[in-house]
Amino acid sequence: MRRLLPLLFLPAPVFADTIVAPSTVTAVTIYPQGAEVTREVQFSAPAGRHDLRIADLPASTVPDLIRLASEETALGSFTFQEAGLIPVDPPAMPDLDAAISAAQATRDAAALARDRIAARIEAAEAQVGFLRGMTAEVTSQPPAEIAALSQMIGSEVLAAREAMLTARAEQAAADRVLAEADTALAEALAAREEVRAAQADKAQLTVAITQAADGAGRLTLRHFVEDAAWRPVYDATLIRSPAPALTLNRGALISQFSGEDWRGVALTLSTARPSDQAAPSLLWPELRRAELPEPERAYKSGAMEDMAVAAAPVAEVETAVPAMQGDVVVYQVPAAVDLATGVADLRVALGDLSFTPEIEARAVPRADSTAFVMATFTNGAEILLPGEVVLLRDGTLVGRSALELTPARGEIELAFGAIDGLKLTRDMPQNSQGDAGFLSSDTARSEAALLRVENLTEEAWPLHVIDQIPYSEQDELAITYSATPAPTETDPDGARGLLGWRFDLAPGAVQEIALTVQLRWPEGMELR
């Protein structure tokens, strides 16, 4: 629903005149979702109170986040008019008005020239008709006079016909000139209508101002638009020798659909997230009741389809320089940037970060047939936003991954592809179930597995083998296990039931791990 939204109420000037002034976007700060736009408004006004109308704001302007500032002019109340409403006063378009006037004058001159040619043709046709209608009294005039009259009529008819032919030849050229003038005038009128139609999709702000003296004034307007965003992209390059090194090449993909082009603006990317949750969640007392169970209901899951919008990226601009605003990292692009509305994925380089990672070959024989390279490192002083990561190991593309939101000095773990020469197997030579004893009411289950890692590469690898055993939270279900060799870690990071072994595996070497699990539960109960 369209509305006129007053944002601030102050005494309004009486009999104030209205000044319409355009605005120029000078700076934009883009967040992961949304952008703050800074505009400069320059105008000229006599001393006294006036209404300053800024009629070129994008339709996506958020009214509550409008902020105004001026050093020369006193600012009063202001109102915001949403897009789609007819402006109170049409915007001035002096360039287009001048182009339309020139095109109209050219068209009028061409029409006049064509009409003059048409008049010449009409006059020649009338002269020929008159001459052809002349007759002579043969009986009363001497033959010499009749011959002279006949010669005169012939000459005049010939001259009139030649003038007619010349005029008709000029008429074709005049018609072309007139047609071109009509086209130019129609294009100029269409351009003005296009601007007017675009203006109907613009929002406008009317500000009560007071000028202390005659002269120029300037106002700074800051507002927020939601249809803009940036997201990080990363290239992670891992080098294992002669010393482990990891380089994170960072970039930002910027998109904006505000409805206006940003040309030559100072661009800043901020890691702040004003569109996200700004306050901690609230917890409320939880009332629980015990009731009879309800009958189960059938549930049918619906299919979901992934949809992606492809956009051609544009050329990458200069590397942005990081800075801090409190505890928020911002990246300032050193050169002015052009970013048209509707353009997706303008790429800005954010520079490289270097780390010294810890590298291991992680093996999960229960699920995989090969081990994978894992690199673990600690982030620096800058927050890393979530984004897609392209993975390169020793100069070779090995896959893609995703980086989660990582605070400063947070730990990061990235996988860098499979190691085909580290072969994994997990065999189960024993898997029996039965009564624990002849007279016992207990039942039991025993499982045995043999984990095997073989290094077929020509280098030693630090191995991290992971397997799992079931765990129980019931006193009635007892679970015990034995492993040879014994695991070096159990329940890592609180993940119950996980076991880990760490060791170095030389080229050509084989490491086996024997794992046995026993489960016991009372008679009459089922294992689930």
Side-chain angles (χ1 to χ4, degrees):
M1 179 178 180
R2 302 295 180 186
R3 63 190 184 282
L4 189 67
L5 180 63
L7 298 179
L8 182 64
F9 297 96
L10 291 175
V14 181
F15 303 114
D17 61 332
T18 299
I19 302 171
V20 180
S23 65
T24 302
V25 178
T26 58
V28 178
T29 297
I30 302 181
Y31 303 96
Q33 183 59 53
E36 184 184 58
V37 181
T38 300
R39 318 175 83 93
E40 295 291 337
V41 182
Q42 297 185 3
F43 57 92
S44 180
R49 295 187 176 184
H50 312 277
D51 285 340
L52 177 64
R53 179 166 296 128
I54 306 163
D56 55 0
L57 300 182
S60 57
T61 299
V62 180
D64 332 16
L65 300 180
I66 292 176
R67 299 293 181 267
L68 301 173
S70 177
E71 296 181 358
E72 303 92 350
T73 304
L75 305 178
S77 62
F78 59 89
T79 57
F80 180 78
Q81 181 176 324
E82 286 190 346
L85 297 179
I86 301 175
V88 178
D89 297 321
M93 294 178 284
D95 293 342
L96 282 177
D97 290 340
I100 291 172
S101 297
Q104 184 68 59
T106 301
R107 194 267 174 200
D108 292 343
L112 180 59
R114 185 187 181 283
D115 290 344
R116 287 175 175 171
I117 294 171
R120 288 163 51 197
I121 294 173
E122 185 178 355
E125 289 176 342
Q127 185 178 6
V128 170
F130 173 77
L131 292 173
R132 286 179 174 175
M134 292 182 64
T135 60
E137 292 293 336
V138 178
T139 57
S140 61
Q141 293 185 357
E145 292 182 3
I146 294 175
L149 178 61
S150 175
Q151 185 176 4
M152 181 274 294
I153 292 174
S155 298
E156 292 297 325
V157 169
L158 178 60
R161 292 286 297 176
E162 289 178 347
M164 188 188 310
L165 292 174
T166 301
R168 284 177 176 171
E170 294 176 358
Q171 186 181 38
D175 287 341
R176 289 194 296 271
V177 172
L178 181 58
E180 292 173 358
D182 284 337
T183 300
L185 178 59
E187 290 176 350
L189 291 171
R192 184 170 65 182
E193 290 305 314
E194 184 178 350
V195 172
R196 287 177 176 175
Q199 186 64 32
D201 292 331
K202 295 287 185 180
Q204 67 178 23
L205 187 73
T206 303
V207 188
I209 63 171
T210 302
Q211 286 284 89
D214 296 353
R218 187 176 67 176
L219 178 148
T220 300
L221 165 64
R222 291 163 50 204
H223 65 89
F224 191 84
V225 295
E226 296 177 340
D227 296 331
W230 77 275
R231 70 183 190 276
V233 289
Y234 304 95
D235 288 350
T237 302
L238 177 66
I239 302 297
R240 294 186 296 120
S241 63
L246 190 146
T247 301
L248 200 61
N249 176 270
R250 302 170 300 161
L253 296 180
I254 307 170
S255 303
Q256 74 102 346
F257 299 88
S258 66
E260 67 175 354
D261 296 337
W262 298 334
R263 299 186 182 279
V265 300
L267 182 62
T268 300
L269 306 180
S270 175
T271 59
R273 300 182 298 282
S275 299
D276 287 1
Q277 180 176 331
S281 301
L282 297 177
L283 296 180
W284 304 95
E286 184 179 12
L287 176 64
R288 301 299 298 272
R289 300 177 61 184
E291 298 179 347
L292 293 175
E294 295 184 359
E296 294 186 0
R297 297 179 180 179
Y299 174 76
K300 183 178 181 180
S301 61
M304 298 288 290
E305 294 184 357
D306 294 330
M307 300 182 65
V309 178
V314 298
E316 182 174 296
V317 301
E318 294 186 50
T319 301
V321 179
M324 299 296 296
Q325 290 182 349
D327 59 349
V328 175
V329 180
V330 297
Y331 303 96
Q332 297 169 341
V333 180
V337 174
D338 293 339
L339 186 57
T341 184
V343 171
D345 293 349
L346 168 70
R347 180 162 180 140
V348 176
L350 302 183
D352 296 345
L353 297 176
S354 298
F355 305 95
T356 301
E358 294 183 2
I359 299 176
E360 68 179 22
R362 186 165 301 173
V364 185
R366 181 182 287 267
D368 302 325
S369 60
T370 60
F372 291 81
V373 177
M374 302 296 298
T376 305
F377 56 97
T378 301
N379 187 24
E382 298 182 30
I383 185 175
L384 296 178
L385 295 179
E388 185 180 86
V389 184
V390 176
L391 304 169
L392 299 101
R393 188 178 83 207
D394 296 325
T396 301
L397 178 66
V398 294
R400 295 175 181 268
S401 184
L403 185 67
E404 297 180 350
L405 176 67
T406 306
R409 289 166 289 280
E411 187 174 275
I412 303 172
E413 184 178 76
L414 290 176
F416 283 86
I419 310 168
D420 295 329
L422 292 179
K423 297 298 184 182
L424 312 179
T425 57
R426 189 180 192 275
D427 298 325
M428 299 185 67
Q430 177 187 357
N431 184 0
S432 61
Q433 178 175 335
D435 294 335
F438 179 72
L439 296 176
S440 174
S441 62
D442 292 348
T443 58
R445 179 181 176 89
S446 177
E447 296 181 354
L450 181 65
L451 286 61
R452 190 172 188 271
V453 182
E454 183 179 6
N455 185 0
L456 301 179
T457 71
E458 297 180 353
E459 60 180 303
W461 284 92
L463 259 295
H464 182 195
V465 179
I466 298 176
D467 206 87
Q468 67 180 148
I469 59 173
Y471 73 94
S472 171
E473 294 181 345
Q474 294 178 289
D475 294 338
E476 294 84 357
L477 178 60
I479 300 176
T480 58
Y481 78 92
S482 62
T484 304
T488 54
E489 59 184 5
T490 58
D491 300 341
D493 299 323
R496 299 187 62 180
L498 293 190
L499 305 176
W501 293 262
R502 295 181 182 271
F503 52 85
D504 292 335
L505 192 62
V510 176
Q511 176 69 54
E512 292 183 346
I513 300 171
L515 178 62
T516 303
V517 182
Q518 296 84 29
L519 300 89
R520 301 178 66 87
W521 60 93
E523 184 179 3
M525 301 184 73
E526 294 180 351
L527 179 64
R528 296 183 179 178

